[in-house]
Amino acid sequence: MQLANSPPTKSKRVDALDALRGLAVLAMVLSGVIPFKGTLPAWMYHAQFPPPTHQFNPKIAGLTWVDLVFPIFIFSLGTAIPIALSRRLSQGWTNLEISFGIIKRGFLLATFAIVLQHFRPTVINPEPSSEKWQLALMGFGILFLMFVQLPRVIPKWINLAVNLIGWGAAIAILTQIQYPHNSKFPEFSLYRSDIILLVLTNIVVFTSFIWLFTRHHPQFRVGLLGILFALILSKSAGGWMSNLLSSSPIPWLYQFEYLKYLFIAIPGTIIGDEIVSYTQIEDEYIPKTWNRFRLGGIVILMLLIILNLVMGLQSRLLPQTTGISVILLIISYPLLKNPSHPLEDLLYQMYQWGLYGLILGLAFEPYQGGIKKDPTTMSYFLITLAIAIFLLMILTILIESFHQALWFQLFIDTGKNPMIGYLAFANLLWPILELQGWIPKIEALTNTPVLGFLRGLSYTLIIALFVSLCTRLKLFWKT
């Protein structure tokens, strides 16, 4: 493998990673807009929030597609870090300059998390009111101004002026807005933030610094995961270590609990290193030895592994799930060994890490009462990591080898602009529909389980098309 910061010989973007990120974002949107009145089967919701009551039950073990969404996004985030930082290193950035860039990105993400939560319609007022929908729409506009990166043909000073207007508007409104239903935080508060974005902030900053200072020694990153696991065990044992890890100098921004997702992000950086190496190789004249049937077989086997895991772990058929997984992994190996083309080698490296993560995750499955997203278990981190890797393999083959990017274009475009996709429903589409009085009519026409799911699917498609339009117009939100 070439060094991750060696000068690239060509510019080659792996659209499969954007597609994976976009898939996670749109799946997140869909999981939030499907009916929540006990009308759909349990595997359509988080395993620990089963229908019909959707009350949190930490004793339930299992894995649904909804539980995969966040770790897949974390994995794609970790994988993208070596790609982004290697590009800066090749442009001559120093470690100090990159460090400042990492801190800046953390600041912007944390700000995004705080401002967004203050404009969430359900946070502004849990009761129906036109004012909250208007404020939610205003919030979308303000966030757009704050974080938009305009097309390069527009002078930078105009982009800066637009961003400053957004920041000024945010400060002006958030210093005046009231939350009378919230007795603890009736006004603006740093403690009112989007928890998903706050976790992402911590993971981005820690993972970026870890990669920057271990980029020549990836084995140190694996070693850090061992230390993290030891700290987690020590924290649960009580004593001075538990007290130390439970404290935080900035509790509204950092908690040790957030760092558990490094078990997904750090392995993602290792896959990212492999992608960087692949993009630096001129492979136009290197013959490919794997034909379409072989690649198609890999796609089918990876898909079968994922389906087996989700269905088997949710059904709690643990011996059968483990046995079938091992058999499928063994069958897959002959198709992936002896790569001769850089893309084939990339797939082989992904497979090896996915295999290791899956076997380790299945070995951990009985620990902590079975696989659970909440509270998170070791098997959850490792098995979802493996699933994310296998999904990336599938998308890499379909998009990079079979050249079927057109079929995944909405996912690719959303993956390039994830922040817009993340809040476009709650702060754009939903407020518009409510202010127009269309929500009751739509719900009345889609009051069966199947129609309710199709309604959610339609909302998600609208969001995907909107984000794709922004991407095509080169209106990116940069955090």
Side-chain angles (χ1 to χ4, degrees), residues 54-259:
H54 296 291
Q55 296 296 313
F56 174 58
N57 186 347
K59 296 181 179 180
I60 297 177
L63 185 70
T64 70
W65 69 270
V66 185
D67 298 321
L68 297 175
V69 172
F70 189 52
I72 289 174
F73 190 86
I74 290 285
F75 170 76
S76 63
L77 179 150
T79 305
I81 284 172
I83 300 172
L85 298 188
S86 293
R87 188 180 303 116
R88 293 182 179 181
L89 287 167
S90 69
Q91 293 169 350
W93 287 42
T94 65
N95 283 355
L96 182 61
E97 289 172 326
I98 291 177
S99 296
F100 279 121
I102 293 170
I103 295 171
K104 177 184 176 182
R105 188 182 182 192
F107 169 76
L108 291 175
L109 261 176
T111 302
F112 192 94
I114 294 168
V115 175
L116 171 59
Q117 192 70 2
H118 281 78
F119 283 111
R120 287 289 195 191
T122 53
V123 173
I124 295 170
N125 191 343
E127 303 298 327
S129 71
S130 60
E131 180 185 15
K132 78 172 184 179
W133 301 118
Q134 293 167 357
L135 283 171
L137 271 176
M138 187 183 299
F140 182 88
I142 288 173
L143 286 165
F144 186 94
L145 295 174
M146 289 176 68
F147 296 103
V148 69
Q149 178 179 293
L150 299 173
R152 293 182 180 179
V153 295
I154 296 177
K156 289 185 177 180
W157 70 267
I158 294 180
N159 202 146
L160 178 61
V162 169
N163 295 152
L164 290 175
I165 290 171
W167 282 79
I171 294 171
I173 293 175
L174 292 180
T175 53
Q176 300 298 319
I177 194 170
Q178 300 290 316
Y179 302 86
H181 63 281
N182 190 327
S183 58
K184 188 176 182 181
F185 301 115
E187 299 177 340
F188 172 83
S189 172
L190 293 174
Y191 287 89
R192 182 182 287 114
S193 61
D194 184 290
I195 185 61
I196 292 178
L197 293 177
L198 203 59
V199 172
L200 288 179
T201 300
N202 283 264
I203 296 302
V204 163
V205 172
F206 277 87
T207 306
S208 297
F209 276 119
I210 289 170
W211 181 87
L212 182 63
F213 294 106
T214 65
R215 62 185 185 274
H216 301 297
H217 306 283
Q219 68 273 18
F220 289 169
R221 276 174 259 163
V222 179
L224 284 173
L225 293 181
I227 295 173
L228 178 61
F229 184 50
L231 291 175
I232 290 173
L233 292 178
S234 296
K235 184 176 183 294
S236 63
W240 72 272
M241 182 68 76
S242 178
N243 294 335
L244 177 64
L245 296 176
S246 297
S247 63
S248 172
I250 39 176
W252 56 270
L253 179 62
Y254 162 79
Q255 296 290 337
F256 176 75
E257 293 295 317
Y258 301 159
L259 301 188

Side-chain angles (χ1 to χ4, degrees), residues 385-450:
L385 166 65
I387 290 175
I389 293 174
F390 294 148
L391 271 174
L392 182 58
M393 288 177 64
I394 292 171
L395 291 170
T396 300
I397 292 172
L398 295 177
I399 295 174
E400 310 300 333
S401 291
F402 290 175
H403 306 292
Q404 298 299 314
L406 183 63
W407 293 96
F408 299 92
Q409 198 59 55
L410 286 180
F411 295 114
I412 294 171
D413 289 344
T414 303
K416 293 177 180 178
N417 229 343
M419 291 298 103
I420 296 181
Y422 181 68
L423 81 156
F425 177 78
N427 283 77
L428 183 62
L429 181 58
W430 191 14
I432 291 174
L433 295 176
E434 287 283 2
L435 289 171
Q436 295 298 320
W438 291 345
I439 288 290
K441 298 175 184 178
I442 294 173
E443 291 183 347
L445 293 172
T446 57
N447 57 3
T448 67
V450 173

Side-chain angles (χ1 to χ4, degrees), residues 29-37 39-40 44-45 425 442-460:
V29 174
L30 178 61
S31 68
V33 297
I34 57 177
F36 273 84
K37 297 180 181 179
T39 57
L40 296 174
M44 290 295 292
Y45 308 97
F425 177 78
I442 294 173
E443 291 183 347
L445 293 172
T446 57
N447 57 3
T448 67
V450 173
L451 291 177
F453 174 74
L454 292 176
R455 178 184 69 223
L457 208 57
S458 300
Y459 289 157
T460 306

